């Protein structure tokens, strides 16, 4: 081509570039959902299709960038106002990281997990982990957490007896009434909730819409919380069944458990232990017959001072069928299970390592005992097998297990192999705070309790109070920038499959009740009093938070009683009993309706998410796929306002019609099917104060 033609060609090209519509960055989209990564959980060496969305006829090229290579993607489809680009990639057996580069005229930008960015400023790339599969049933599953002692008393014959034993200087006792506020300092105070109580309330849980039951620890233990395991092999007979009883209780003032005969019989006699395991086996069978799942709390970081391996309280001393505990004899076969750091103090206080220096919580020493490791792995498998057949484990303080992170990773890799060898579809869900990246690489945990990418940012945004009700920061309430930046930071650390089954809670056994946080009071029950927990609460904010919870990526998890209006400061006040006969029935009805909406569509389990509105006090986002689109809008302001929503960004037609599925405000909620018609892909909606709404695309004008 001669110089004159080259000049004319460049002039025409420059003119066309100038005439091209400005790049519509709001239309750019991709993620790791099944619409944009096919298949969404590929195996090693699979061939995958990766897709990217742009506004129609709005870009010159879309490139996928990986391994320092750029590959031009092919436009394969135009639907509505969007073009879809696609490429195929052959995976290996290592992580595949990628992002996109979009060229439109003189504009070039990138698109990574954070969204649109400037060229050369990659933040978080997309990452495919070949071979990493999580249980499909756990994605978006509606979970229900039960602190067993406080849920329902179904068998009064197994209740703890006053003076049955001594723990932390106090005698065990049963609360005088079911609705008594828990003693702030007594972990040996019981209310009588048990497994039979859960079985008797399965109709209630199923009617609520629960799909997975998560139980706080249920194994033999002297405390009401049972994070101080006495025997990993058996369900506590106080939760199960006592068929053999007798023996004396302690006299007033007596602290020595050597004479706690009734407790010894109840918790060490094989007739009681085997009967209690049978109760649990029957419970899991009925749960499964109803199409529900159950996961247990695995407390493998530490055990309890009552544990048969330690036997500090001499519960097992000279008992037939039990070997001598490490606190009883230095020659005990279990001595290597613990860190006896100062033999000069033995057997006095401080002679062994306790978790956070708690002598009632002896730290298990895995590095020095392969036998301990083998035993705990055996425990994990035992409860996954028949006749119990649990569906997974929640792992207490999982990252604290060993003395080094290196050992922890080695252990949890073994744990995953052993668990998945018994049931490949079992869920491994860890308690963890902070960056999850190192733990969710496909060979350890499936997911985590989602503090950093759900509970923390949601409670700050909705209430301005932290999850312990210790701090109130008014500047955090309604701070949409803080909310979105925190969510972006921590959600992007998750593999998508792990995010879909992350446990999204508003409350749990370690933190204050969410409803209490809405009153902005800070402190503990000991200095504020029990009544303060329910004074000035805002149920409209709770309803808005539940709407968010049921439409956000993850497994929405209800802490027993939240749906009934239970209040409480941080533990143990958050462990109040379920208020049978005094429950907030209107709130329960609301929960049922929102859960029903959550379960109505696959979109809420594995669909994409995109922000469509974010300003002070206002959050608007879509959950969508190519087939279905939903919009959630939340206004936590004390003032009403009109909100404009660009619904077209979710793939809703320019003349689409949306229908209200549920609306919540200060006075209650409505499921009236109000319709909204889009005008050129957008619509306005009047949001009342403290309100939230879920809308669904139902057609076109």
């Amino acid at each position: 081509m001669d110089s004159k033609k080259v000049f004319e060609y460049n002039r025409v090209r420059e003119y066309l570039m100038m005439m091209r519509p400005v790049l519509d960055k709001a239309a750019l989209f991709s993620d790791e959902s099944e619409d944009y990564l096919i298949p969404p959980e590929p195996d090693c060496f699979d061939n995958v299709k990766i897709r990217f969305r742009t506004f129609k006829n709005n870009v010159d090229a879309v490139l996928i960038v990986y391994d320092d290579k750029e590959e031009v993607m092919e436009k394969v489809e135009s639907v509505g106002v969007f073009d879809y680009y696609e490429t195929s990639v052959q995976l290996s057996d290592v992580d595949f990281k990628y992002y996109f580069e979009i060229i439109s005229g003189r504009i070039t930008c990138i698109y990574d997990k954070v969204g649109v960015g400037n060229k050369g400023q990659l933040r978080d790339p997309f990452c495919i982990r070949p071979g990493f599969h999580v249980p499909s049933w756990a994605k978006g599953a509606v979970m229900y957490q039960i602190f067993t002692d406080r849920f329902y008393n179904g068998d009064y014959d197994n209740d703890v007896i006053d003076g049955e034993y001594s723990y932390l200087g106090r005698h065990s006792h049963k609360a005088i009434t079911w609705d008594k506020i828990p003693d702030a300092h007594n972990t040996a105070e019981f209310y009588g909730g048990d497994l039979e109580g859960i079985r008797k309330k399965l109709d209630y849980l199923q009617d609520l819409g629960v799909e997975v039951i998560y139980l706080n620890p249920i194994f033999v233990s002297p405390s009401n919380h049972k994070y101080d395991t006495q025997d990993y092999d058996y369900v506590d007979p106080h939760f199960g069944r006592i068929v053999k009883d007798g023996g004396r209780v302690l006299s007033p003032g007596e602290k020595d458990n050597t004479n706690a005969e009734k407790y010894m019989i109840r918790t060490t006699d094989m007739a009681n232990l085997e009967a209690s395991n049978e109760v649990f086996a029957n419970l899991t069978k009925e749960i499964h017959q109803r199409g529900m799942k159950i996961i247990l709390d695995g407390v493998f970081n530490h055990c309890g001072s009552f544990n048969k391996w330690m036997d500090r309280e001499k519960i097992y001393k000279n008992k037939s069928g039990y070997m001598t505990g490490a606190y009883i004899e230095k020659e005990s076969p279990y001595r290597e299970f613990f860190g006896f750091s100062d033999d000069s103090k033995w057997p006095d206080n401080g002679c062994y390592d306790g978790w956070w220096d708690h002598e009632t919580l002896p730290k298990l020493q895995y590095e020095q005992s392969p036998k301990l490791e083998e035993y705990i792995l055996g425990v994990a498998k035992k409860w996954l097998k028949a006749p119990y057949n649990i569906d997974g484990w929640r792992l207490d303080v999982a990252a604290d297990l060993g003395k080094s992170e290196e050992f922890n990773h080695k252990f949890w890799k073994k744990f995953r192999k052993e668990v998945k060898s018994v049931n490949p579809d079992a869920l491994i869900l860890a308690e963890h705070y902070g960056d999850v990246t190192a733990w969710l690489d496909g060979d350890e945990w499936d997911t985590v309790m989602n503090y950093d990418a759900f509970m923390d940012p949601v409670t700050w945004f909705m209430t301005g109070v932290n999850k312990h009700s210790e701090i109130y920061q008014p500047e955090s309430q309604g701070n949409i920038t803080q909310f979105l930046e925190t969510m972006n930071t921590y959600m992007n650390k998750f593999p998508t499959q792990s995010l879909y089954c992350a446990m999204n809670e508003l409350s749990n056994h370690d933190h204050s009740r969410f409803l209490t946080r809405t009153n902005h009071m800070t402190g503990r029950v000991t200095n504020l009093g029990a009544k303060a927990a329910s004074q000035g609460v805002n149920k409209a904010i709770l309803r808005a938070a539940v709407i968010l919870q049921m439409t956000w990526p993850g497994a929405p998890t209800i802490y027993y009683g939240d749906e009934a209006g239970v209040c409480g400061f941080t533990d143990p006040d958050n462990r109040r009993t379920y208020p049978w006969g005094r429950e907030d029935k209107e709130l329960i009805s609301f929960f049922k309706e929102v859960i029903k909406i959550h379960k109505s569509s696959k979109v809420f389990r594995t669909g994409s998410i995109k922000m469509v509105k974010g300003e002070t006090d206002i959050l608007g986002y879509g959950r969508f796929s190519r087939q279905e689109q939903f919009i959630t809008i939340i206004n936590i302001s004390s003032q009403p306002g009109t909100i404009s929503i660009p619904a077209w960004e979710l793939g809703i037609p320019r003349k689409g019609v949306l229908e209200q599925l549920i609306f919540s405000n200060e006075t209650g909620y409505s499921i009236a099917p109000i319709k909204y018609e889009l005008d050129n892909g957008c619509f306005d909606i009047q949001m009342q104060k403290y309100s939230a709404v879920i809308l669904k695309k139902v057609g076109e004008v």
Side-chain angles (χ1 to χ4, degrees), residues 5-274:
K5 289 183 177 180
V6 169
F7 176 75
E8 291 298 327
Y9 170 80
N10 287 336
R11 283 188 63 190
V12 171
R13 182 173 181 274
E14 184 175 350
Y15 174 76
L16 291 174
M17 288 169 62
M18 292 175 62
M19 293 298 294
R20 175 178 293 284
V22 175
L23 175 63
D24 196 324
K25 293 182 178 180
L28 305 180
F29 189 79
S30 187
D31 62 9
E32 294 162 322
S33 69
E34 59 188 18
D35 279 342
Y36 295 92
L37 176 61
I38 309 164
E41 290 184 28
D43 286 315
C44 297
F45 307 107
D46 272 0
N47 188 276
V48 298
K49 292 180 180 179
I50 297 173
R51 285 194 152 203
F52 190 83
R53 189 191 80 178
T54 72
F55 199 77
K56 194 171 184 177
N57 299 324
N58 190 227
V59 306
D60 294 311
V62 177
L63 288 71
I64 185 170
V65 185
Y66 62 95
D67 294 339
D68 296 323
K69 296 186 297 187
E70 294 183 347
E71 181 180 309
V72 177
M73 300 178 71
E74 178 185 2
K75 186 194 294 188
V76 294
E77 191 177 11
S78 294
V79 178
V81 298
F82 299 122
D83 288 334
Y84 293 89
Y85 291 77
E86 183 180 289
T87 192
S88 294
V89 176
Q90 180 76 47
L91 300 178
S92 65
D93 58 353
V94 298
D95 290 355
F96 179 80
K97 297 182 179 182
Y98 64 98
Y99 64 98
F100 304 96
E101 189 172 287
I102 301 94
I103 302 172
S104 179
R106 293 173 175 163
I107 299 173
T108 299
C109 64
I110 67 163
Y111 192 96
D112 57 17
K113 223 172 175 183
V114 178
V116 179
N118 296 325
K119 184 178 181 181
Q121 295 181 352
L122 175 65
R123 296 148 303 182
D124 288 316
F126 295 99
C127 181
I128 302 172
R129 291 169 172 82
F132 183 17
H133 301 284
V134 303
S136 59
W137 60 262
K139 295 175 182 176
V142 179
M143 298 187 180
Y144 191 88
Q145 179 184 350
I146 298 177
F147 193 86
T148 302
D149 179 60
R150 309 295 161 82
F151 186 60
Y152 187 68
N153 192 342
D155 179 2
Y156 287 87
D157 291 336
N158 63 13
D159 291 356
V160 169
I161 302 296
D162 289 359
E164 191 175 319
Y165 59 96
S166 176
Y167 191 52
L168 288 172
R170 296 183 178 220
H171 280 192
S172 64
H173 74 276
K174 185 178 177 181
I176 53 175
T177 62
W178 180 255
D179 58 356
K180 173 188 175 295
I181 299 299
D183 189 318
H185 303 289
N186 193 352
T187 56
E189 178 182 58
F190 292 85
Y191 289 74
D194 48 34
L195 298 184
E196 177 62 12
I198 294 170
R199 190 194 68 79
K200 288 180 176 179
K201 294 299 182 180
L202 287 179
D203 283 346
Y204 166 77
L205 296 176
Q206 197 163 26
D207 185 54
L208 186 63
V210 172
E211 297 172 299
V212 182
I213 295 172
Y214 154 46
L215 299 183
N216 286 112
I218 62 170
F219 303 128
V220 183
S221 155
S223 70
N224 49 40
H225 58 72
K226 302 209 177 299
Y227 283 94
D228 47 358
T229 311
Q230 181 173 322
D231 191 337
Y232 290 97
D233 288 306
Y234 296 99
V235 169
D236 194 311
H238 298 97
F239 282 177
R241 181 179 297 128
I242 295 173
V243 296
K244 184 176 179 180
D245 211 349
R248 66 180 289 259
V249 298
L250 300 179
S251 302
E254 187 178 6
K255 305 298 183 183
D256 187 353
N257 282 315
T258 303
N259 298 316
E261 295 173 356
K262 179 177 283 288
Y263 183 76
M264 292 178 187
I265 293 171
R266 287 181 157 199
T267 62
T268 70
D269 190 278
M270 279 298 155
N272 294 329
L273 297 175
E274 290 172 358

Side-chain angles (χ1 to χ4, degrees), residues 536-553:
V537 298
N538 189 333
K539 282 198 290 186
I541 292 295
L542 171 62
R543 284 192 292 267
V546 172
I547 283 176
L548 187 155
Q549 181 187 37
M550 293 294 164
T551 56
W552 199 262

Side-chain angles (χ1 to χ4, degrees), residues 595-608:
I595 290 171
K596 191 185 303 180
I597 292 169
H598 172 86
K599 293 169 67 175
S600 71
S601 175
K602 185 180 178 182
V603 163
F604 293 122
R605 299 183 189 270
T606 58
S608 299

